[in-house]
Amino acid sequence: MSWTDERVETLKRMWGEGQSASQIAKELGGVTRNAVIGKVHRLGLSNRATGAGPAKTETKPKAKAAPKAEAKPKAAPKAEPVEMKTEAAAPPRSTLPARKQIIPAGQPLPPQPSANEISPEALAKVNEVEKKAKKISLMELTERTCKWPVGDPATEDFWFCGLPVKQGKPYCEAHVGVAFQPMSSRRDRRR
DNA sequence: CCCTGATTCGC
DNA sequence: GCGAATCAGG
């Protein structure tokens, strides 16, 4: 894969949106997060929004790799922008459209299966697991966290399982059990 | 262990 | 210019 204008554009957009290099890499496909980071640097668009935001990249001194570095010319300080603190109170949560926020989810989230189609064993297992679920938020989902949704998305009582997924699957073992039922099994149980 | 970005350096 | 390897850190 090469960096076509289109791909670079996507890279810029996503990086600007605060997406991680790995997420961008997955979106683009054919490249690793290293490639993305390398490109980001070559494009000279490293530090993202300095203002508020989740980024909060701490200043890395990089003691190891910094042979040349700067001398001691304190004459040219970096006149900090003195980020305006005019916005004392946090703006209403609804300020940002929170657009599509393309997030992890490799596969589309399946609808909650009807209770009557799930084997009693699997159901019991799930109820048990949900007690110790990590209860993570949408933003915290990764390819290795169970993406099983729990609760009502319209309320505060909503979260994703978050437990370690079962190899190659989008859910933890317990949820894989209720998500992927053999056809024969489903038919036999149907009313 | 999972993840993040940063840097180096051979290609 | 590219990106794997490596580093540093959460």
Side-chain angles (χ1 to χ4, degrees):
Chain A
M1 277 296 184
S2 60
W3 287 107
T4 61
D5 285 12
E6 193 177 334
R7 288 164 68 77
V8 171
E9 198 177 310
T10 299
L11 164 58
K12 287 180 178 177
R13 177 176 55 72
M14 292 183 76
W15 185 259
E17 290 176 5
Q19 299 288 319
S20 70
S22 61
Q23 289 179 311
I24 297 173
K26 281 181 289 188
E27 174 69 21
L28 292 172
V31 290
T32 64
R33 74 185 193 87
N34 286 303
V36 170
I37 292 174
K39 186 60 179 177
V40 163
H41 281 213
R42 268 170 259 127
L43 287 173
L45 40 70
S46 189
N47 47 13
R48 339 198 196 193
T50 308
K56 193 64 184 97
T57 305
E58 62 271 66
T59 308
K60 300 176 188 299
K62 283 294 158 290
K64 173 56 187 297
K68 45 200 66 175
E70 73 293 70
K72 50 268 190 177
K74 303 177 188 293
K78 50 180 96 188
E80 285 304 310
V82 184
E83 44 192 293
M84 296 181 273
K85 298 188 175 184
T86 42
E87 34 114 41
R93 269 210 173 220
S94 54
T95 300
L96 296 178
R99 57 201 69 206
K100 296 179 181 179
Q101 264 311 110
I102 44 180
I103 275 336
Q107 284 78 42
L109 296 176
Q112 289 281 9
S114 303
N116 69 347
E117 301 191 40
I118 306 174
S119 68
E121 316 84 71
L123 223 184
K125 200 172 182 181
V126 170
N127 287 326
E128 197 179 302
V129 165
E130 291 184 359
K131 291 175 186 172
K132 48 190 174 186
K134 294 183 64 179
K135 300 188 177 182
I136 63 177
S137 70
L138 177 62
M139 266 89 73
E140 300 172 299
L141 289 174
T142 74
E143 290 186 328
R144 291 190 175 63
T145 58
C146 177
K147 302 170 185 61
W148 193 265
V150 180
D152 186 343
T155 70
E156 296 294 297
D157 187 36
F158 178 67
W159 32 269
F160 290 91
C161 174
L163 291 172
V165 297
K166 188 174 183 180
Q167 188 290 335
K169 295 294 196 304
Y171 311 112
C172 64
E173 182 157 22
H175 287 135
V176 163
V178 294
F180 303 109
Q181 298 262 325
M183 283 308 287
S184 58
S185 170
R186 303 186 77 184
R187 183 197 57 219
D188 294 344
R189 187 154 40 262
R190 189 172 304 164
R191 300 187 178 180

